[in-house]
Amino acid sequence: MTERVGIGELQAHLNDYVDRAAVGEEIVITRQGKAICRLVPRGPEAPTAPQPYDGRLWALVQAGKASWSGKRLRPAKPVTMRSGPGIADLIREEREGREDRILDAIYQNDAVPRQ
């Protein structure tokens, strides 16, 4: 049940009204007989957007594509690179190999002399 209470009454008995709202009652606060706001029980808390990620993670949470407990995020552990060729080297090697295979196919099928 909703109860209407004036600001003066609310100020005089604020603790009582807060206790009643905490257990589920809705209190409508009035000023000069007109409703200006409501005192309602606290609902489930929505997590606030994490600041370090500029809202990107928050956008995924809002879209339902990620979940987040609302707890502070731990920093990711740094990735250590193993010795050997880097990704750029592997991509270059793959592209060069593909280019050679394509040129071989062109020269074999069309009998075009290689330059």
Side-chain angles (χ1 to χ4, degrees), residues 9-88:
E9 171 69 15
L10 178 69
Q11 286 176 333
H13 303 283
L14 181 61
N15 285 336
D16 296 332
Y17 287 110
V18 168
D19 290 342
R20 289 167 56 185
V23 295
E25 190 174 337
E26 182 177 315
I27 313 291
V28 176
I29 302 166
T30 62
R31 179 185 287 149
Q32 297 177 350
K34 295 181 184 176
I36 58 170
C37 61
R38 294 180 305 147
L39 183 61
V40 295
R42 179 179 175 184
E45 241 183 89
T48 58
Q51 298 305 315
Y53 293 96
D54 299 328
R56 291 175 287 166
L57 178 60
W58 184 243
L60 291 172
V61 170
Q62 294 292 19
K65 295 182 179 183
S67 60
W68 179 50
S69 66
K71 294 181 182 177
R72 185 181 183 107
L73 299 174
R74 285 184 251 132
K77 293 181 181 177
V79 176
T80 54
M81 297 295 293
R82 296 181 181 183
S83 62
I87 292 177

